[in-house]
Amino acid sequence: MKKQIALSLLTVSALLCADIVKNPDAGTLWKEDGQNVDKNWQEGIKGQHTRTSDGRTFSFECTKKGNTGHRDFIKVPVSPEYPWLVFRLDSVKANQGYRTWSVRIRALDTFAAGQTSTQEPGIFAFNVWEGARLKTPPKAAEIFFYNYTLKLTFSELKMVRKPDNFIFAESPAFKEKGSFGPGDRIRFTVTLKEPAEDVSVRLIHPDLLFAAKLNGMDKLQLKPADDTQKVWTAEFDVKSLGPVRKRKDFKRNEILIRATVLGGGISEPLWGTINYPYVSGK
């Protein structure tokens, strides 16, 4: 048994490339320190991507057109105790051609989120375990960043127990039926490190970042949960969601949530996802 445990620890340790920092603090499973991303990451087809870093930020860039191989990926430990994937996308440069990016984790019931044709940087915090249907929870996974004719520049990438800033959507229907739809209730909560003066959210479809209106509303105003003004929340009776480009039903993680925070510690958009599918029943 001791040998098996030692072997498992050795295997997990081997997954960590030289510049992936394991447990830099009690709340972080690992982080990419950006010192040597070209060595750390693998690619789909050699020559289609370039990876660079300056010690503070790191970038993935694709300049070639085509439909295959446009991906950078890394194998890392994963744990339900550290369910949040957090990254700060500082900037997006558009090259010529079809432009899209997404992050995917196949081992976690194919978690996927991204932006197609229109891109907007910000802070992205995804609970990649929430809503995943898993028979056996994995201990390691490959994180893929698919990238078509874009330069993506990051200043942070890590998996944590709880982010400093994040959005969370919850509904009794999620546990009751694994989805939600008309007649259910849904609550959106934005938790911040610093107090804010105003917080609102919008539901966004990744294709061209079209609005996915909830009950016909483009903007959902949140209210502070207490006097600290660090937690903002609002609950809604669901009557309709969308449609977006004639689509009335949406997959798990397909609908993005974008929070606008005013008078707080962050100025860029804060992004999350609804981790369960929406079924219109029509």
Side-chain angles (χ1 to χ4, degrees):
M1 179 62 71
K2 291 182 178 180
K3 289 184 178 180
Q4 290 178 340
I5 294 174
L7 182 60
S8 297
L9 292 174
L10 183 62
T11 301
V12 172
S13 178
L15 295 172
L16 297 171
C17 299
D19 297 313
I20 291 293
V21 182
K22 182 181 178 182
N23 296 124
D25 55 68
T28 305
L29 181 60
W30 58 263
K31 71 174 184 178
E32 164 66 81
D33 69 0
Q35 297 300 310
N36 193 351
V37 295
D38 194 48
K39 180 181 178 181
N40 255 5
W41 294 72
Q42 301 179 59
E43 57 195 352
I45 297 179
K46 190 172 179 60
Q48 289 192 334
H49 272 189
T50 58
R51 296 185 290 269
T52 57
S53 62
D54 61 11
R56 186 186 68 85
T57 65
F58 60 96
S59 301
F60 303 147
E61 184 170 17
C62 171
T63 58
K64 295 179 180 289
K65 298 179 182 180
N67 295 319
T68 61
H70 295 250
R71 62 187 184 181
D72 296 276
F73 63 95
I74 190 169
K75 195 167 187 178
V76 293
V78 292
S79 167
E81 295 182 6
Y82 300 84
W84 290 87
L85 175 68
V86 177
F87 56 90
R88 187 186 294 263
L89 182 57
D90 284 11
S91 65
V92 180
K93 172 191 171 185
N95 295 318
Q96 186 176 3
Y98 170 73
R99 298 182 296 273
T100 185
W101 72 266
S102 64
V103 56
R104 297 172 181 266
I105 308 177
R106 295 172 184 168
L108 295 177
D109 196 18
T110 311
F111 169 86
Q115 301 173 337
T116 301
S117 297
T118 300
Q119 289 77 37
E120 185 176 341
I123 300 171
F124 295 78
F126 301 129
N127 187 325
V128 295
W129 287 79
E130 179 72 16
R133 297 164 296 179
L134 302 170
K135 293 182 178 180
T136 303
K139 295 183 179 180
E142 291 175 329
I143 297 179
F144 291 82
F145 276 91
Y146 287 80
N147 174 15
Y148 292 79
T149 57
L150 295 169
K151 182 178 181 179
L152 307 173
T153 299
F154 303 85
S155 60
E156 187 176 45
L157 173 65
K158 58 187 179 181
M159 294 197 78
V160 301
R161 193 183 304 275
K162 183 180 179 181
D164 289 335
N165 304 285
F166 65 97
I167 305 167
F168 194 68
E170 55 188 331
S171 170
F174 293 167
K175 291 185 178 181
E176 292 170 2
K177 56 185 180 180
S179 64
F180 74 111
D184 296 322
R185 291 181 66 81
I186 190 167
R187 175 178 291 274
F188 300 99
T189 301
V190 173
T191 300
L192 303 169
K193 183 178 181 180
E194 303 293 339
E197 295 179 4
D198 184 87
V199 179
S200 61
V201 300
R202 285 179 165 86
L203 305 185
I204 305 290
H205 191 272
D207 192 1
L208 289 167
L209 301 187
F210 277 129
K213 296 182 179 181
L214 179 68
N215 302 340
M217 296 182 291
D218 178 50
K219 176 182 176 181
L220 307 176
Q221 184 63 48
L222 306 189
K223 296 181 179 180
D226 53 42
D227 292 340
T228 67
Q229 298 196 175
K230 294 181 179 181
V231 179
W232 293 70
T233 186
E235 190 172 75
F236 302 89
D237 290 314
V238 178
K239 300 175 183 177
S240 63
L241 180 61
V244 179
R245 306 192 75 173
K246 299 183 179 181
R247 293 189 54 198
K248 297 181 179 180
D249 296 335
F250 305 101
K251 300 176 183 178
R252 170 181 175 249
N253 305 120
E254 185 174 3
I255 297 299
L256 300 169
I257 315 171
R258 180 179 64 191
T260 300
V261 179
L262 302 179
I266 59 173
S267 57
E268 60 265 71
L270 177 61
W271 294 88
T273 59
I274 297 179
N275 294 334
Y276 293 84
Y278 176 80
V279 181
S280 67
K282 298 179 181 180

